Every structure is written in C-alpha cells, then in structure tokens.
Amino acid sequence: MSKKIPLLIDTDPGVDDALALLMAFSDTQHEVVGLTVAAGNVGLEYTVRNALKLCEVAGRENVPVFAGTADPLVHPAEDAAHVHGRDGFGDVDLPRAARAAETEHAALAILRLSHQYAGELLLVALGPLTNIALALKLDPTLPQRVKRFLVMGGAITGHGNITPNAEFNIAFDPEAAHIVFSSFPHADVADWEATIAHGMLHRDVEQWLAADTDAARFYELISRKTRLWSEDSRGEHWYAADALAMAWALQPDGATRVEQRPLSVELSGTHSRGATVVDWNRQTGAPDNTTLLIGYDQERFHAQVRRALGA
C-alpha cells in the first residue's frame, strides 16, 4: 500500500467545514495530521469546540486540534452565525467533546508540522487565513516545505457572498489573505463562484442524509438550520463551498477546467475591501500565483460527499 498523503486542515467549523472534514476523514489516500482552528463562521470558542466534537463523532480523537486566532489581524469582522447558528453547528445543543484542544498555538503547529512532513504536506485552508498569515510572519520559509496549498476563498470575477464583490473568508481578514497570497508562490483556489457552479440539489442531499449511519445522522442534525436557510434564500440548490474545495484537494484529477492567473487582495476601498482581484489579461506583469478552479466533475464531487456520509 502506498504511503498516505499528510493533510493539515486550517478550518473554522461551521456546517460546511464539517462536511469537508468528514470527507477528509473518510478518504483512504490521505491522513489528517491536524486541525488548526481560527475564528470565522463563529467565534473561536465555538469553532474549536466544533472541531473537537466532529473528531469525536468521526471516531478520530487521535487527530490533534490546535486553537488559533480569535480575531482578524487588524480590523474586527462579523461572523456568519446567521447562516451556521450561534454555535456554528445549528444550535442543536450538542454535548461537548470529552477532550480539549492542544496547548500549542495553531500558527506554531502549522510550522512544526510543516517541518515534520516537509516536502509532503498538503495544506488546506477552509476559513479565514489568519493562522497561516501568523505562521508566515513567524517563519517566511513555510511555503518551501508545503507540497500543495489549497484555499477555499475569493470571488474571482467579483460576485461575492458577503459583500457585492467579496467572499466571506477573504473579507473576514483581508490583511491575512494579502500576506498569504503574497508569500506563497502558488496556491490552488476554489472560490465562491466555483461553489455556485457546483450546487447540490436539496432533494439529493436529503436522500443522502437519510442514510443509516452516525455521520449522516449527525450531519443531518447540525446542517438542518443552514439547509432551510439556504433553500429559502437561494433556491433548489445547496452550496457547500468547503466540501467542493476538499473534493479538489483529495482528488485533484477531478478538475475539468482550471485557469492560472495572478491574484491579489484589495485592502481598501469603500466597496471593494476584501475583493480578490484576478489579473485575467495578465496586464500587471505579476506571476501566475494561483490555479483557479472553474469546473469539477460533479458526479465525483457527489460521490465523495456520499462516501463521507456513508450514503
């Protein structure tokens, strides 16, 4: 059997993060070596609690969870509790996990694990990029040890989901995103617009969630509020941004179309702060620092979600 790929996930659980993590745990080609947790979808107290609970439900208590930053680097930001629930998991009053997070800070854990798995590590960022930005400030050589870096974030033609032209993860901490995209020579980016292009029908998701498995029952419960909100506000498709990003992370050959372009993050502007600006015509002379996901095999995406739920 070939050696598993070490996978480090920076996350802010969150309902869609939870599905992505279940996908990672169920994949036989990767080994999750840690979860580094930031504030984002909800506050850090809850995102850490949710990461620990998810590991417990998945039977992966061996995966270390590291608490990171409670705030963006510079400016305060609003969370997404209106989508995920006050506690990030649909406000269904889950009991806490039995264990606590590790004492090591998430940024330090990222650096340590990058040394432990130097040249092999797959680093996937599902939330605001604050922890990774801090790690880069502590050690700018981090990118040299990461084999592949994938970010869920951005809106590559300016069709945002939190402002008219910015996506939530980037808009939550634009300064961190600027540091990250300026420091890594290359990143794979699964943005909000790719998410919209790969929606899942609510009726299909409901069928998968009816499976007689612990994972399906757990996910049906915590996602109920979010799915109802989505159906009311967005129609017949449900959009799971982190799940799509994780599908591409785990099975990169499922991509049907990608584009390589320079990408930068706007830090100011009354209407544009947090926007991901893609130099589509390569007018600036900047190097192509991103591979942008445009299309992914929908059936392969669905198959990974079903496997994670045991459906």
Side-chain angles (χ1 to χ4, degrees):
M1 182 177 176
S2 61
K3 186 178 179 182
K4 290 187 177 183
I5 297 170
L7 169 58
L8 175 60
I9 306 171
D10 193 68
T11 180
D12 63 331
V15 170
D16 53 345
D17 300 73
L19 181 55
L21 295 175
L22 289 172
M23 292 165 65
F25 288 150
S26 69
D27 187 86
T28 60
Q29 302 302 312
H30 295 76
E31 182 65 35
V32 180
V33 298
L35 303 179
T36 54
V37 183
N41 284 323
V42 288
L44 185 67
E45 176 187 355
Y46 285 115
T47 55
V48 171
R49 184 187 303 182
N50 294 344
L52 291 165
K53 188 64 180 180
L54 189 65
C55 289
E56 183 177 87
V57 169
R60 298 299 298 272
E61 290 95 337
N62 62 315
V63 174
V65 173
F66 305 94
T69 55
D71 300 290
L73 292 180
V74 180
H75 298 289
E78 292 187 14
D79 63 24
H82 67 288
V83 176
H84 297 268
R86 178 183 55 83
D87 68 357
F89 270 6
D91 296 328
V92 294
D93 296 324
L94 294 170
R96 291 193 182 207
R99 67 175 172 134
E102 308 297 315
T103 57
E104 186 179 22
H105 191 280
L108 296 176
I110 290 169
L111 294 176
R112 178 177 54 80
L113 291 167
S114 76
H115 283 283
Q116 184 175 343
Y117 299 100
E120 302 175 8
L121 189 65
L122 168 57
L123 175 60
V124 174
L126 300 178
L129 294 167
T130 320
N131 287 333
I132 298 174
L134 282 176
L136 285 161
K137 284 300 183 182
L138 291 169
D139 183 357
T141 69
L142 169 63
Q144 299 173 19
R145 298 184 296 277
V146 175
K147 184 172 184 179
R148 183 182 176 209
F149 176 45
L150 187 146
V151 174
M152 188 284 120
I156 61 175
T157 65
H159 292 71
N161 68 342
I162 195 68
T163 73
N165 57 9
E167 176 273 334
F168 176 83
N169 283 344
I170 306 300
F172 189 87
D173 195 345
E175 283 76 19
H178 168 73
I179 291 169
V180 169
F181 283 111
S182 299
S183 301
F184 272 86
H186 197 86
D188 291 341
V189 175
D191 82 318
W192 176 247
E193 293 169 49
T195 303
I196 294 295
H198 297 83
M200 297 177 283
L201 289 169
H202 280 283
R203 63 174 181 267
D204 290 339
V205 175
E206 289 165 4
Q207 182 180 0
W208 304 337
L209 291 174
D212 184 19
T213 67
D214 290 341
R217 281 187 289 270
F218 172 76
Y219 198 73
E220 193 284 326
L221 179 65
I222 68 167
S223 68
R224 194 177 298 161
K225 179 175 182 175
T226 300
R227 288 182 289 111
L228 289 172
W229 175 86
S230 177
E231 194 166 13
D232 287 343
S233 62
R234 291 173 174 161
E236 64 177 349
H237 285 90
W238 184 46
Y239 304 111
D242 294 332
L244 178 65
M246 187 57 71
W248 188 28
L250 299 174
Q251 297 185 18
D253 57 344
T256 58
R257 182 188 168 195
V258 297
E259 297 285 350
Q260 294 192 354
R261 290 294 190 281
L263 180 148
S264 58
V265 178
E266 177 59 54
L267 299 181
S268 60
T270 302
H271 304 292
S272 57
R273 175 171 161 79
T276 41
V277 181
V278 176
D279 184 5
W280 289 105
N281 296 321
R282 297 190 175 97
Q283 294 166 288
T284 63
D288 290 348
N289 64 336
T290 60
T291 296
L292 308 170
L293 181 65
I294 309 297
Y296 193 87
D297 186 316
Q298 191 77 8
E299 286 304 313
R300 188 181 289 211
F301 177 30
H302 288 183
Q304 291 189 62
V305 173
R306 290 197 304 268
R307 182 186 64 207
L309 297 172

